[in-house]
């Protein structure tokens, strides 16, 4: 929409906080992404993209040192295809590097082409480390049809 286009320059990324919890859960639900296993304490490793006062995007990290699970990338309808997803992924990747995460994994049913443009490679499920395979998202939440992708992170 024109209004969304006009306001995108005011969008900013910040660390998620407890009072973003309901908005994040709602955004994930609207985007058809799992949100039942996310608690307020998980938000410590989440980021939000805001167009004040509204949360218009989110992304999260689950830690399985030295690996990480990228999850919950969601952008509100009307704000997609404007580079916000890439901004969120870039922020999460640099955060992961700060935490000494060597490789990120993700599961997707809809965003394979988006992530492949950001250098994520499709891998078979059994090539993911056990810690990732045993995560709740991997083992119970995401369907077996979900594509597994990974990306090696390098020091920036």
């Amino acid at each position: 929409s024109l209004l969304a286009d006009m306001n995108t320059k005011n969008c900013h990324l910040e660390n998620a906080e407890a009072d973003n919890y309901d908005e994040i859960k709602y955004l994930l639900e609207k985007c058809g992404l799992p949100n039942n296993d996310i608690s307020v304490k998980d938000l410590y490793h989440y980021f939000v993209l805001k167009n004040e006062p509204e949360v218009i995007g989110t992304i999260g990290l689950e830690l399985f040192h030295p690996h990480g699970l990228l999850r919950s990338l969601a952008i509100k309808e009307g704000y997609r295809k404007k580079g916000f997803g890439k901004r969120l992924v870039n922020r999460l990747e640099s955060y992961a590097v700060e935490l000494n995460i060597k490789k990120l994994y993700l599961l997707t049913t809809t965003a394979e082409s988006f992530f492949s443009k950001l250098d994520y490679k499709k891998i078979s499920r059994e090539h993911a480390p056990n810690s990732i395979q045993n995560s709740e998202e991997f083992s119970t939440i995401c369907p077996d049809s979900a594509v597994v992708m990974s990306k090696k992170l390098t020091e920036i």
Side-chain angles (χ1 to χ4, degrees):
S1 74
L2 186 60
L3 188 63
D5 281 335
M6 284 171 27
N7 291 330
T8 50
K9 61 184 177 298
N10 300 323
C11 296
H12 62 275
L13 246 169
E14 57 188 55
N15 295 332
E17 298 188 355
D19 55 1
N20 303 136
Y21 181 70
D22 291 336
E23 277 186 285
I24 289 170
K25 297 259 296 187
Y26 179 74
L27 181 60
L28 293 175
E29 185 183 323
K30 292 293 279 182
C31 294
L33 293 172
N35 66 8
N36 294 341
D37 64 321
I38 297 168
S39 70
V40 171
K41 71 173 174 40
D42 295 321
L43 298 186
Y44 186 77
H45 300 296
Y46 271 65
F47 295 94
V48 289
L49 187 68
K50 288 179 109 172
N51 190 1
E52 290 298 347
E54 180 184 30
V55 170
I56 59 155
T58 189
I59 194 167
L61 178 67
E62 250 182 86
L63 300 174
F64 301 94
H65 274 287
H67 309 291
L69 186 62
L70 181 158
R71 58 174 302 178
S72 307
L73 174 62
I75 307 288
K76 187 176 180 186
E77 197 80 59
Y79 290 94
R80 295 182 187 154
K81 306 218 184 307
K82 299 181 193 310
F84 293 131
K86 187 176 177 187
R87 253 175 83 185
L88 283 162
V89 172
N90 289 342
R91 180 66 190 94
L92 188 88
E93 287 176 358
S94 34
Y95 175 66
V97 168
E98 289 167 30
L99 298 177
N100 274 320
I101 296 294
K102 302 297 182 211
K103 202 166 194 181
L104 283 176
Y105 293 85
L106 64 90
L107 293 128
T108 182
T109 52
T110 57
E112 184 181 351
S113 64
F114 169 82
F115 283 108
S116 60
K117 289 185 193 108
L118 300 178
D119 297 324
Y120 285 80
K121 307 278 182 263
K122 184 174 174 176
I123 61 167
S124 64
R125 291 177 88 83
E126 54 274 8
H127 283 113
N130 288 338
S131 57
I132 300 285
Q133 288 189 39
N134 293 332
S135 71
E136 198 173 349
E137 179 170 359
F138 203 106
S139 55
T140 59
I141 297 172
C142 277
D144 288 345
S145 58
V147 171
V148 182
M149 302 181 84
S150 72
K151 179 178 182 176
K152 191 175 190 306
L153 299 178
T154 45
E155 306 306 320
I156 295 167

